[in-house]
């Protein structure tokens, strides 16, 4: 009886171990399936698994069959060898053993050859679902889809077939050698008839693959990299290499035909002659002839020879990067900007961005992180309609940084500290009396200054720093830490739709295996309603769901209908667009921003919206993964209002446009008009000198050609070796104008100040440079923020904020604003004051030679006497609002001082008086 019990116990343990091993082995696959189910996309996982395995198995069967047929054809020679050397062959080498060995060898060849094919399953899938571009290349007349979708597949197929043929041939030769069907003697190689025919056929097939390679090389000439001037076919490629490839194809085909004929009768002399001709042609036509043509035909008259190919290169490069859609407009500059011009554009002035994101991020870390475990990963710019007006704002999401938790236990990391909390919204162009940002939405819980910014769901369960899994809906009510409140903490329970239920011991075991922790099995907090949220990092989330897309580096938050979302731009890229210059950083020569991904910060839902249905690559992916991509029309209006033109794509297009705005082949060849991004002076770290850096594109609110205010992404250009401004590029993004690119070019016979020239004028201005130097000498760090160049009518307005940061602190304050237009330059503590120093009152004042305004209190200018108070209008209204705000702050500081005095709090009384003094100083400098 005891023996039976022991046997049962042993079997039970064995079964338990096998079950545990099975769970461990399959935990990742099972949890992946549940994760895709949670997002409503199980079909995507099926296809992501089916495609590589389908290609792998399909390739394995076909390639193994090819190898097996070749090995099977050696059977007669092997049988004769076994019979002939019957006494010398070991007993275990029976015919059955040999046949099994052949099958095994063929299978190994199939595995080795099919694995690279499976690794590039996407090439196969894109070939299957290829879509036409509707653009024909000028040399072969083929649609661009052939080069993007078909040519990579054909090259992959050719490489795979060559690989299996080489391996099969090596195995066949080895079998024939062992069977002594091939013998090497002093006079040469002796072959029996069967092996000779077999090897001749294999050699002929290998040569035919070489013919196919020549053909593909010919078709790949539009992707040639032989020139230092252009990408794609050149004069030498088309007039020397193309004929050479055709000649080599003919000679190789003839050689293959002779090999096939050699299976019946060996034409030794013809084979030698054809092979020699082929080898000589490969040397002369494939190597020497193109060099001779390049040296003696092209180089003496390169421009004229290459002109049509340069035209192809320019046209297709512009097509590949969407530069053909850039609308070019002249921008005549008279710099007669008047106060009336600004008053007629209150939205422009009120939304001039003074806050550089770098000092703003440091300021928010000090003012709004609230606790040491909160942080702001980034600051983003967007536009919102607030109280009926379009306002440009800066947003920063308050995320949880688990690395800062003092007691990082499993319970704290995965059950209690589960989410970030809230978003901070600040005005782009306003500051408080202390030089700090004016916050429109701040604190914990979030307190908006306007109901349009109200947040009903401030929890951030899915963000940029949420890199760990969390367990929600635990046994203890309100077990999760939500936010601090005084000396206590407010707690909550996740009530979103995200997460995978842990409603069985099996599910707990599977996730315990995936996360390598037994706590999921042992914790008493897990119940039938408990769920696990994992893969919560938004970038990891979208990349897993759509691995075929390239995602922008800068996801940005959107506040819509009281909820927080993340919007991430996604790109389709390709490497085979003919004649188009590849971009080294992108590793591609075709890029489209075809998709916008939206992730719900609370529920975790992910949606992909197609914004460029004309893109053939995204149409191919849509056919490949049906149901994953949705049309842009399905995006809710509340989200659609916050779609931005992505900075990564804009930077790419601007980099290409700096060279490819030249559409004249002569100008392009000589590089007569190459541009570069404008440069500026910036300082953010250390006590060293200011540094020069390339300007980054910036989002601004402008009015283009008298249209309604809109947000655009813009960047100024300068000539490659000079600092004067030559043009500026703008990307529109509001309403039906989304995606339109405008290039405004300045007259080339006029000097238009570039940002670095304005920087030089700042450094040469006696009062401004002296004040900046004095601040630096007092131990403070002077931060010269991003310069903005803003078009207003036919004038350019330059704005540069100056920040001051104490040596022992990390709280930058906006202390001055520098403004410039034309030959006027001024600095003031406020934007309005700086504008008044450089912008005259009216047309008569500017054009009749009336002196420009003099500096106000606290400001400096190089322009002349100050005009009287400006007439009524938007700017004066804004100045009045600013004055009223400072007055309210002064009154509040005064009341606080009285309270502290009544309470006998002399330290608090002194601090309140100091605060009142700072406000009064600001008030005195404001009109």
């Amino acid at each position: 009886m005891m023996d039976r019990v022991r046997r049962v116990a042993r079997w039970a343990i064995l079964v338990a171990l096998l079950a545990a091993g099975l769970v461990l082995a399959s935990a990742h696959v099972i949890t992946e399936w549940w994760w895709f189910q949670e997002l409503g996309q199980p079909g995507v996982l099926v296809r992501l698994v089916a495609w590589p395995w389908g290609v792998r198995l399909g390739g394995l069967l076909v390639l193994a069959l090819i190898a097996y047929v070749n090995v099977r054809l050696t059977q007669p020679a092997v049988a004769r060898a076994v019979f002939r050397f019957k006494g010398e062959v070991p007993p275990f080498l029976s015919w059955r053993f040999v046949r099994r060995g052949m099958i095994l060898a063929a299978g190994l060849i199939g595995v080795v050859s099919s694995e690279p094919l499976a690794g590039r399953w996407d090439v196969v899938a894109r070939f299957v679902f290829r879509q036409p571009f509707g653009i024909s290349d000028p040399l072969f007349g083929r649609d661009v889809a052939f080069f993007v979708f078909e040519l990579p597949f054909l090259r992959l197929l050719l490489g795979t077939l060559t690989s299996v043929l080489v391996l099969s041939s090596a195995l066949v030769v080895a079998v024939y050698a062992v069977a002594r069907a091939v013998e090497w003697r002093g006079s040469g190689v002796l072959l029996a008839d069967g092996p000779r025919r077999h090897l001749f056929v294999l050699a002929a097939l290998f040569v035919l693959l070489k013919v196919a390679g020549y053909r593909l090389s010919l078709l790949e000439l539009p992707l040639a990299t032989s020139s230092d001037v252009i990408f794609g076919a050149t004069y030498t490629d088309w007039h020397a290499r193309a004929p050479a490839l055709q000649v080599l194809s003919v000679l190789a085909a003839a050689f293959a035909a002779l090999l096939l004929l050699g299976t019946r009768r060996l034409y030794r002399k013809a084979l030698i002659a054809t092979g020699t001709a082929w080898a000589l042609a490969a040397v002369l036509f494939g190597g020497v002839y193109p060099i001779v043509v390049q040296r003696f035909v092209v180089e003496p008259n390169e421009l004229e020879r290459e002109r049509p190919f340069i035209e192809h290169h320019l046209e297709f490069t512009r097509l590949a990067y969407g530069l053909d859609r850039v609308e070019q407009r002249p921008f005549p500059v008279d710099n007669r900007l008047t106060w009336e011009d600004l008053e007629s554009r209150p939205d422009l002035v009120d939304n001039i961005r003074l806050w550089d994101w770098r000092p703003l991020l440091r300021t928010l870390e000090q003012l709004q992180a609230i606790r040491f475990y909160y942080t702001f990963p980034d600051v983003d710019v967007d536009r919102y309609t607030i109280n009926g007006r379009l306002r440009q704002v800066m947003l920063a999401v308050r995320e949880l940084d688990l690395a800062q938790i003092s007691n990082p236990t499993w319970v704290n990391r995965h059950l209690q500290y589960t989410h970030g909390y809230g978003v901070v919204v600040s005005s782009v162009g306003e500051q408080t009396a202390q030089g700090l940002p004016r916050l429109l939405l701040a604190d914990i819980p979030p307190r908006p200054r306007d109901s349009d910014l109200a947040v009903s769901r401030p929890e951030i369960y899915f963000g940029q720093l949420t890199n760990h899994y969390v367990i929600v809906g635990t046994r203890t009510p309100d077990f999760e830490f939500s936010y601090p409140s005084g000396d206590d903490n407010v707690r909550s329970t996740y009530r979103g739709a995200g997460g995978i239920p842990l409603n069985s011991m099996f599910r707990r075991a599977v996730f315990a295996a995936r996360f390598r922790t037994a706590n999921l099995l042992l914790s008493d907090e897990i119940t039938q309603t408990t769920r696990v949220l994992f893969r919560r990092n938004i970038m990891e989330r979208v990349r897993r769901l759509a691995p075929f897309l390239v995602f922008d580096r800068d996801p940005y938050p959107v506040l819509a209908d009281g909820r927080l979302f993340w919007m991430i731009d996604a790109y389709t890229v390709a490497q085979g667009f003919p004649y188009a210059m590849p971009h080294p950083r992108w590793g591609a020569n075709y890029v489209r921003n075809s998709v916008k991904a939206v992730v719900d910060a609370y529920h975790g839902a992910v949606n992909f919206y197609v914004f460029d249905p004309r893109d053939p690559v995204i149409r191919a992916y849509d056919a490949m993964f049906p149901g994953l991509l949705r049309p842009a029309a399905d995006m809710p209006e509340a989200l659609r209002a916050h779609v931005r033109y992505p900075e990564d794509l804009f930077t790419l297009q601007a980099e290409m446009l700096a060279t490819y705005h030249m559409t004249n082949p002569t100008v392009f060849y000589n590089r007569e008009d190459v541009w570069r991004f404008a440069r500026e002076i910036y300082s953010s770290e250390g006590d060293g000198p200011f540094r020069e850096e390339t300007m980054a594109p910036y989002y601004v609110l402008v009015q283009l050609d008298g249209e309604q205010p809109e947000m655009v992404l813009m960047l100024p250009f300068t000539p490659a070796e000079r600092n004067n401004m030559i043009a500026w590029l703008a990307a529109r993004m509001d309403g039906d104008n989304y995606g339109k690119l405008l290039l405004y070019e300045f007259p080339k016979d006029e000097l238009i100040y570039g940002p670095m020239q304005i920087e030089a004028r700042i450094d040469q201005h006696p009062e401004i440079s002296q004040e900046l130097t004095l601040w630096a000498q007092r131990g403070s760090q002077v931060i010269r923020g991003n310069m903005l160049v803003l078009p207003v009518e036919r004038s350019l307005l330059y704005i540069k904020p100056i920040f001051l940061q104490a040596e022992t602190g990390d709280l930058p304050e906006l202390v001055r604003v520098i403004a410039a237009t034309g030959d006027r330059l001024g600095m003031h503590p406020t934007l309005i004051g700086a504008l008044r120093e450089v912008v005259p009152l009216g047309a008569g004042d500017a054009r009749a030679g009336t002196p420009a305004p003099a500096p106000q209190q606290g400001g400096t200018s190089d322009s002349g006497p100050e005009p009287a108070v400006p007439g009524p209008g938007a700017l004066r209204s804004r100045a009045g609002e600013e004055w009223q705000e400072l007055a309210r702050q002064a009154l509040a500081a005064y009341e606080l001082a009285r309270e502290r005095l009544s309470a006998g709090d002399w330290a608090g009384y002194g601090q309140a008086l100091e605060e009142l003094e700072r406000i009064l100083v600001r008030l005195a400098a404001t009109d």
Side-chain angles (χ1 to χ4, degrees):
M1 183 64 180
M2 292 299 297
D3 291 340
R4 183 177 180 183
V5 170
R6 291 192 186 96
R7 284 197 301 272
V8 171
R10 282 197 296 268
W11 277 106
I13 294 172
L14 180 59
V15 169
L17 290 174
L18 288 175
L22 182 62
V23 169
L24 286 172
S26 60
H28 185 81
V29 174
I30 295 173
T31 53
E32 286 296 292
W33 174 255
W34 289 338
W35 187 80
F36 276 88
Q37 272 190 322
E38 174 205 350
L39 293 177
Q41 297 293 345
V44 173
L45 178 61
V46 171
R47 290 173 177 84
L48 287 175
V49 173
W51 266 108
W53 277 100
V55 171
R56 178 181 283 108
L57 295 177
L60 171 63
L61 291 175
V62 173
L63 300 176
L65 180 62
I66 294 173
Y68 179 73
V69 167
N70 279 285
V71 177
R72 192 79 169 82
L73 290 174
T74 64
Q75 177 178 337
V78 173
R80 285 193 295 270
V82 170
F83 179 77
R84 191 193 323 172
F85 306 107
K86 182 167 52 178
E88 303 175 18
V89 177
F92 69 88
L93 286 179
S94 62
W95 174 242
R96 178 179 297 178
F97 178 86
V98 172
R99 188 169 59 185
R100 288 176 179 176
M102 291 179 177
I103 295 174
L104 178 61
L108 289 175
I109 291 175
V111 170
V112 171
S113 301
S114 65
E115 197 58 33
L117 197 65
R120 300 191 64 190
W121 65 268
D122 57 320
V123 174
V124 180
R126 292 207 294 183
F127 169 76
V128 173
F129 294 103
R130 59 191 181 276
Q131 302 288 327
F133 276 73
I135 305 170
S136 298
D137 89 283
L139 296 185
F140 299 103
R142 291 178 177 268
D143 191 276
V144 169
F146 171 78
F147 300 93
V148 173
F149 297 121
E150 299 181 34
L151 201 53
F153 171 74
L154 295 176
R155 180 58 75 178
L156 176 64
L157 182 62
L158 178 63
T160 303
L161 291 176
T162 302
S163 172
V164 72
L165 189 61
V166 168
L167 292 174
S168 300
S169 300
L171 180 61
V172 165
V173 170
V175 170
Y176 282 142
V178 171
R180 297 188 183 179
V182 178
E183 296 184 10
W184 285 267
R185 296 185 179 178
S187 58
V189 179
L190 296 179
L191 285 170
D193 287 342
R196 178 175 61 81
R197 295 190 186 97
H198 188 186
L199 293 176
F200 267 51
V201 169
L202 287 175
L205 290 175
F206 183 80
V207 174
L208 288 175
L209 289 179
K210 190 64 178 175
V211 173
Y214 286 140
R215 178 61 180 170
L216 291 184
S217 296
L218 176 64
L219 294 172
E220 287 172 341
L221 286 180
L223 306 174
T225 59
S226 56
S227 171
D228 295 331
V229 179
I230 65 173
F231 180 85
T234 63
Y235 181 93
T236 300
D237 291 327
W238 188 242
H239 293 279
R241 290 190 176 90
L245 289 170
Q246 291 173 330
V247 170
L248 291 173
S249 297
V250 171
L251 291 174
F255 191 77
L258 289 172
L259 286 173
L260 290 175
L261 291 174
T263 59
R264 289 180 169 272
R265 177 185 173 187
L266 183 61
Y267 298 90
R268 189 185 303 274
K269 293 183 179 179
L271 273 173
I272 294 174
T274 306
T276 303
W278 183 18
L280 289 175
V283 174
L284 296 177
F285 287 100
V288 177
Y289 180 56
I291 295 174
V292 172
V293 170
Q294 179 67 26
R295 176 64 184 88
F296 296 102
V297 178
V298 176
E299 289 184 9
N301 197 16
E302 188 172 36
L303 176 58
E304 290 307 312
R305 298 293 186 188
E306 301 287 11
R307 182 179 296 275
F309 302 97
I310 294 176
E311 290 175 349
H312 302 332
H313 173 64
L314 293 176
E315 178 187 0
F316 279 78
T317 298
R318 290 171 62 85
L319 284 170
Y321 295 101
L323 303 183
D324 59 307
R325 292 178 280 182
V326 175
E327 181 183 348
Q328 293 179 252
R329 297 180 182 178
F331 193 96
V333 178
D334 59 18
N335 280 325
R336 296 179 179 179
L337 183 64
T338 66
W339 198 255
E340 286 77 9
D341 293 330
L342 295 182
E343 284 189 317
S344 65
R345 293 167 176 79
D347 291 318
L348 167 66
V349 177
D350 288 346
N351 290 285
I352 291 177
R353 181 169 64 83
L354 301 180
W355 282 95
D356 186 310
W357 71 269
R358 288 164 286 195
L360 178 61
L361 182 61
R362 284 146 63 179
T363 299
L364 293 181
E365 289 282 4
Q366 295 295 316
L367 299 179
Q368 283 293 312
I370 310 298
R371 292 291 189 272
F372 60 89
Y373 42 74
Y374 284 130
T375 189
F376 296 97
D378 195 10
V379 176
D380 293 285
V381 180
D382 204 349
R383 70 286 197 201
Y384 285 77
T385 300
I386 303 174
N387 198 20
R389 293 186 59 194
L390 187 64
R391 298 287 302 275
Q392 192 174 35
V393 299
M394 305 183 82
L395 302 91
V397 171
R398 187 184 293 106
E399 294 208 46
L400 192 65
D401 184 4
L402 283 182
Q404 303 303 321
I405 295 178
S406 57
N407 186 24
T409 63
W410 183 82
V411 171
N412 280 343
R413 289 177 58 85
H414 301 289
L415 275 70
Q416 293 203 40
Y417 290 93
T418 57
H419 58 275
Y421 199 90
V423 61
V424 177
V425 180
S426 63
S427 172
V428 296
E430 296 179 272
Q431 78 266 35
T432 66
Q434 298 79 33
L436 301 176
R438 183 170 181 263
L439 303 180
L440 306 178
L441 174 64
D443 300 334
I444 297 178
R447 288 195 288 267
R449 297 189 58 164
D450 192 281
S451 60
D452 291 322
L453 295 177
V455 185
S456 58
R457 273 296 175 195
E459 299 92 344
I460 312 296
Y461 281 87
F462 300 87
Q464 294 179 267
L465 300 181
T466 48
N467 299 314
H468 62 294
Y469 71 90
V470 294
I471 309 299
V472 297
T474 52
R475 184 184 304 278
T476 303
D478 296 333
F479 194 61
E480 302 174 49
F481 167 77
S482 191
Y483 61 87
S485 179
D487 295 333
D488 201 359
N489 293 325
V490 175
R491 297 186 171 273
S492 64
T493 298
Y494 178 70
R495 305 189 186 281
I500 300 168
L502 295 176
N503 52 12
S504 69
M505 189 56 68
F506 173 72
R507 285 176 174 254
R508 294 171 66 172
V510 170
F511 276 106
R514 178 180 179 120
F515 298 134
R516 300 292 189 268
T517 177
N519 291 329
L520 285 170
L521 293 171
L522 303 176
S523 176
D524 294 332
E525 289 292 335
I526 299 177
T527 68
Q528 292 291 313
T529 59
T530 301
R531 281 178 286 170
V532 57
L533 307 179
F534 75 100
R535 195 171 283 136
R536 298 189 302 133
N537 183 291
I538 56 173
M539 298 305 295
E540 182 187 4
R541 201 168 182 84
V542 295
R543 284 173 180 150
R544 182 65 181 108
L545 200 54
F548 48 86
L549 297 175
V550 176
F551 290 92
D552 195 272
R553 296 172 296 177
D554 184 27
Y556 61 96
V558 173
L559 175 57
D561 296 329
R563 295 162 55 194
L564 291 171
F565 300 85
W566 294 97
M567 197 168 290
I568 311 167
D569 287 281
Y571 308 98
T572 54
V573 299
Q575 299 177 343
F577 204 91
Y579 314 101
M581 178 63 71
H583 193 279
R585 189 175 71 249
W586 286 73
N589 67 351
Y590 173 86
V591 180
R592 287 292 184 273
N593 174 219
S594 297
V595 176
K596 308 285 186 182
V598 178
V599 182
D600 190 312
Y602 186 72
H603 298 286
V606 182
N607 288 293
F608 298 94
Y609 299 96
V610 176
F611 271 70
D612 189 1
R614 298 172 299 176
D615 175 23
V617 179
I618 201 60
R619 294 205 308 268
Y621 286 134
D622 192 24
M624 199 184 307
F625 297 96
L628 177 63
L629 306 174
R630 303 172 62 181
D634 288 353
M635 178 180 283
E637 283 300 321
L639 292 174
R640 184 69 179 260
H642 298 285
V643 168
R644 300 190 319 187
Y645 199 89
E647 188 175 336
D648 278 358
L649 176 64
F650 184 83
T651 301
L652 166 65
Q653 291 175 315
E655 288 174 351
M656 302 305 295
L657 190 67
T659 300
Y660 290 93
H661 69 275
M662 297 180 287
T663 55
N664 183 299
T666 302
V667 175
F668 176 83
Y669 176 81
N670 293 316
R671 296 296 197 269
E672 297 175 11
D673 191 23
V674 177
W675 299 345
R676 68 176 181 181
F677 291 9
R679 300 181 66 79
E680 64 177 345
I681 297 294
Y682 183 82
S683 174
S684 64
E685 297 177 1
D687 299 323
F690 299 127
R691 67 174 184 269
E692 181 180 335
E693 64 179 31
T694 301
M695 288 185 70
Y698 49 90
Y699 293 98
V700 292
L701 218 62
V702 298
Q703 287 180 259
L704 298 175
D705 299 329
E707 298 186 28
Q708 292 297 315
E710 59 179 306
M711 192 169 82
V712 302
L713 182 59
M714 65 174 290
L715 180 74
F717 290 103
T718 66
E721 302 299 330
R722 297 185 180 180
N723 287 323
N724 61 290
M725 200 152 57
I726 194 70
W728 59 277
L729 178 67
R732 308 178 76 173
M733 59 196 76
D734 287 347
D736 295 335
N737 290 323
Y738 177 82
K740 293 182 179 179
L741 295 173
L742 299 178
L743 179 65
Y744 288 90
E745 297 186 72
F746 299 114
K748 295 186 178 181
D749 56 353
E750 296 182 24
L751 171 62
I752 308 298
Y753 287 124
M756 276 304 296
Q757 292 172 322
I758 299 296
E759 298 279 7
R761 290 176 57 194
I762 293 173
D763 292 335
Q764 294 164 8
H765 192 287
E767 290 82 4
I768 296 178
S769 60
Q770 182 181 14
E771 192 159 1
L772 297 180
T773 302
L774 285 174
W775 278 330
Q777 290 175 349
R778 292 171 184 167
S780 298
Q781 181 188 355
V782 179
I783 302 174
R784 292 165 69 156
N786 286 134
M787 178 176 290
L788 301 185
V789 183
L790 303 173
V792 186
E793 283 291 329
R794 293 188 177 185
S795 302
L796 292 175
L797 184 62
Y798 305 81
I799 302 293
K800 190 172 187 70
I802 303 296
F803 301 89
L804 198 62
Q805 179 176 309
E807 188 178 62
T808 57
D810 197 17
L811 188 65
E813 298 178 2
L814 177 59
V815 294
R816 292 292 186 271
V817 179
I818 298 175
T821 181
D823 293 326
R824 301 166 182 265
L825 179 71
M827 183 172 75
H828 194 273
T830 66
L831 173 63
I832 299 300
L835 291 175
R836 289 191 57 194
E837 292 187 6
V838 299
V839 179
L841 278 178
D845 183 26
R847 298 173 187 175
T850 303
Q856 303 177 31
Q857 183 178 353
T860 56
S861 172
D862 59 1
S863 304
E866 178 189 6
V869 177
L875 293 186
R876 184 175 179 183
S877 173
R878 174 173 169 176
E881 292 175 0
E882 186 176 350
W883 194 93
Q884 291 175 1
E885 174 65 21
L886 290 173
R888 283 193 293 269
Q889 293 181 12
L891 180 60
Y894 172 70
E895 294 293 343
L896 180 61
R898 290 184 59 186
E899 292 176 7
R900 294 288 183 267
L901 181 61
S902 300
D905 182 3
W906 294 103
Y909 176 68
Q911 292 174 357
L913 286 182
E914 290 177 0
E915 175 69 13
L916 179 59
E917 180 185 5
R918 283 195 295 267
I919 296 172
L920 291 175
V921 169
R922 302 283 299 185
L923 193 60
T926 304
D927 291 335

